[in-house]
Amino acid sequence: QVLLVESGGDSVQAGGSLRLVCAVSGITFSNYCLGWFRQAPGKERVGVGRIHTDGYIKYADSVKGRFTISKDSTNNSLDLQMTSLKPEDTAMYYCAAKEGYCSMVAHNYPYWGQGTQVTVSS
């Protein structure tokens, strides 16, 4: 059974930092593309960034230079370090996994966590 569990969401002031962690189980970690997505109220779920099986990382333009994705293959976890947070970063953040090629399109991912809420106040 594939299980993804996010943690680390919180309420912070603009300019602050947060680290989200996604604990992953039930998959062969090295064979899967892992992604972070976010969904603001009334909006579509959009990609924040993804890490390929070979370690290549791609970010959405809106978070480049502020967010950093990393994975720990020993502990099967995926991190999202967020700095210089803005009110527009407020959303529910999800991690997701798919086998094979990577994508920034949410519906391409079959496995999802339950999400963790990030709220950034001005």
Side-chain angles (χ1 to χ4, degrees):
Q1 179 186 358
V2 180
L3 188 63
L4 296 91
V5 180
E6 303 93 337
S7 61
D10 206 344
S11 296
V12 297
Q13 298 259 338
S17 300
L18 278 177
R19 176 174 167 258
L20 306 184
V21 178
C22 176
V24 183
S25 60
I27 64 172
T28 302
F29 207 61
S30 59
N31 292 347
Y32 278 70
C33 171
L34 302 168
W36 282 101
F37 292 79
R38 65 186 182 186
Q39 187 167 19
K43 296 192 176 181
E44 289 186 349
R45 192 171 297 188
V46 296
V48 172
R50 68 190 194 247
I51 182 165
H52 294 234
T53 55
D54 63 0
Y56 173 76
I57 301 173
K58 183 174 176 66
Y59 297 96
D61 289 343
S62 58
V63 306
K64 270 181 193 172
R66 300 188 300 121
F67 289 13
T68 302
I69 290 173
S70 60
K71 69 177 181 180
D72 182 342
S73 298
T74 300
N75 295 313
N76 275 20
S77 66
L78 178 71
D79 285 11
L80 179 65
Q81 180 68 48
M82 305 186 292
T83 62
S84 302
L85 282 161
K86 305 174 181 179
E88 51 263 44
D89 294 318
T90 295
M92 184 72 79
Y93 282 72
Y94 300 89
C95 62
K98 70 177 298 294
E99 200 166 12
Y101 80 94
C102 261
S103 168
M104 287 286 259
V105 179
H107 70 71
N108 287 337
Y109 286 75
Y111 304 112
W112 291 87
Q114 83 291 348
T116 187
Q117 178 67 38
V118 172
T119 303
V120 185
S121 57
S122 57

